[in-house]
Amino acid sequence: MEVHLIENRSSEEKKRSLGLKMALGFLAGFVGVMLLAACMKGMAKQSDLGVPMVQRASVSPLSVAGTAPRGDAWVTGVRLRKRDRQAEKHRLYNRAIKSAVRTRTKKALRSIEDAKKAGISSEADLKDSDKLMSEAYKEIDKAITKGVMKQNTGSRTKSRIATWRKKVLIESGLYTPVEEVAAAAQ
C-alpha cells in the first residue's frame, strides 16, 4: 500500500520530501560533528550533552600481547590540556623575566650613553651607570639561574654592557688598553 501512495504523489511533493530528508540528514550530521568536536576539545561536559557518556573498555592488541595497556584517549587529552595550561604559565613567567633583563640592560646602556654625552672627567662620573650595570648583571644572573636564559646569552649581554663602558672610558682618555701601553713602551 505504501508503494502505491508514493507513486501517486506529484513530482513536486517528491522533491519537497526528498529535500526535507536531505536537510534533516545534514542537520543530524552537523549536530553530531559539533558534539564530537566539543568532546574532543573538552569543552562539553556530561550535563551539557544531555546524554550520559559511557567509557568503553577497549582491548588493544598490545595489551593482549603482554605489554602494558595503553591509557584511554580522554585521559591523554586531559594531560595535554594540563600541559598547555602549565606551558602558558611558564611562558608568561619567562616573558616577565626576559623583559626585566632587557629593561635593566637598556637602562644601563642608556646611562653610559648619557654619561658620555655629559662628558666624563673621572670614573666617579660613571657611578650611576655602574650601579645600573650591577642591577643588570644581577637580573641576568637570576635569569640564567632560573633557566630562562642560557649561560652564553647572559655572558654575551654582560660583555656588551662592559664593552660600552670601556669604550666610553677609552674615548674620554681615562683608560688605556694594555696593547697600546705595551706598544708605547717599546
Side-chain angles (χ1 to χ4, degrees), residues 5 13-14 19-20 34 38 45 51 61 64 69 81 83 86 105 108 115-116 126 139 167-168 170 173 181:
L5 290 175
E13 290 175 1
K14 288 179 185 177
L20 185 61
M34 294 306 290
K45 297 178 184 162
V51 178
V64 174
R81 286 194 298 275
R83 174 58 60 197
Q86 289 175 339
T105 303
K116 177 182 173 184
L126 289 175
E139 203 67 42
K167 282 183 181 178
V168 168
I170 290 171
V181 173

Side-chain angles (χ1 to χ4, degrees), residues 85-153:
R85 286 194 307 270
Q86 289 175 339
E88 182 65 17
K89 284 182 186 177
H90 292 142
R91 185 185 70 82
L92 293 174
Y93 176 78
N94 293 345
R95 189 170 132 192
I97 292 174
K98 286 178 188 177
S99 175
V101 168
R102 279 193 302 268
T103 301
R104 301 278 186 207
T105 303
K106 285 179 188 177
K107 283 184 178 182
L109 294 176
R110 200 173 296 134
S111 173
I112 293 169
E113 194 65 31
D114 291 344
K116 177 182 173 184
K117 288 178 184 175
I120 301 171
S121 58
S122 67
E123 279 198 54
D125 295 339
L126 289 175
K127 188 176 182 181
D128 293 335
S129 61
D130 287 344
K131 183 179 177 185
L132 290 172
M133 278 178 59
S134 174
E135 289 176 8
Y137 284 5
K138 185 178 176 182
E139 203 67 42
I140 291 167
D141 290 337
K142 268 198 242 177
I144 292 169
T145 303
K146 293 179 180 181
V148 175
M149 182 183 283
K150 291 195 175 183
Q151 180 69 46
N152 286 354
T153 306

Side-chain angles (χ1 to χ4, degrees), residues 40-77:
M40 295 301 278
K41 288 185 179 179
M43 296 170 57
K45 297 178 184 162
Q46 191 171 6
S47 61
D48 292 342
L49 299 176
V51 178
M53 294 176 67
V54 178
Q55 183 180 1
R56 294 183 188 175
S58 62
V59 178
S60 75
L62 295 177
S63 63
V64 174
T67 59
R70 187 170 175 231
D72 296 310
W74 67 272
V75 174
T76 304

